[in-house]
């Protein structure tokens, strides 16, 4: 995949982006038979960067973007877990 700068895990990043609500192009690695395109991967990475990394919006999954995706996914998972444990009335 050309949308990776360095060696970040693209399939893991896409899975986490899907977990936090981004419309991710599905791939066999993510459990779908539909093939994605490299431009679709770059589009979803760019969408994330526009919100969480405005200093670099180029659609490339570099180490900093991957780290931010992970951090946001952890925050979303923590919030979901807290909501499940203590649902609001």
């Amino acid at each position: 995949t050309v949308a990776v700068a360095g060696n970040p895990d693209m399939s893991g990043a896409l899975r986490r982006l899907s977990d936090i609500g981004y419309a991710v192009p599905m791939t066999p690695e993510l459990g779908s038979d539909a093939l994605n395109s490299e431009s679709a991967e770059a589009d979803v990475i760019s969408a994330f960067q526009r919100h969480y990394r405005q200093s670099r919006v180029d659609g490339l999954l570099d180490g900093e973007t991957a780290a931010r995706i992970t951090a946001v996914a952890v925050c979303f998972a923590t919030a979901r877990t807290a909501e499940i444990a203590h649902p609001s009335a």
Side-chain angles (χ1 to χ4, degrees):
T1 300
V2 297
V4 178
N7 289 323
D9 174 21
M10 177 60 84
S11 64
L14 292 174
R15 187 174 300 107
R16 287 185 286 281
L17 285 168
S18 177
D19 290 346
I20 61 177
Y22 282 83
V24 173
M26 297 308 290
T27 65
E29 301 85 41
L30 295 176
S32 171
D33 293 332
L35 296 177
N36 67 331
S37 71
E38 291 173 353
S39 65
E41 288 177 354
D43 289 346
V44 74
I45 298 297
S46 291
F48 177 85
Q49 289 172 324
R50 276 191 293 279
H51 189 19
Y52 293 101
R53 191 172 184 206
Q54 295 172 358
S55 64
R56 180 177 180 166
V57 180
D58 59 7
L60 296 177
L61 181 63
D62 65 319
E64 178 64 25
T65 298
R68 289 183 188 206
I69 291 169
T70 298
V72 171
V74 167
C75 287
F76 272 67
T78 301
R80 274 193 300 269
T81 301
E83 179 62 27
I84 291 168
H86 306 287
S88 55

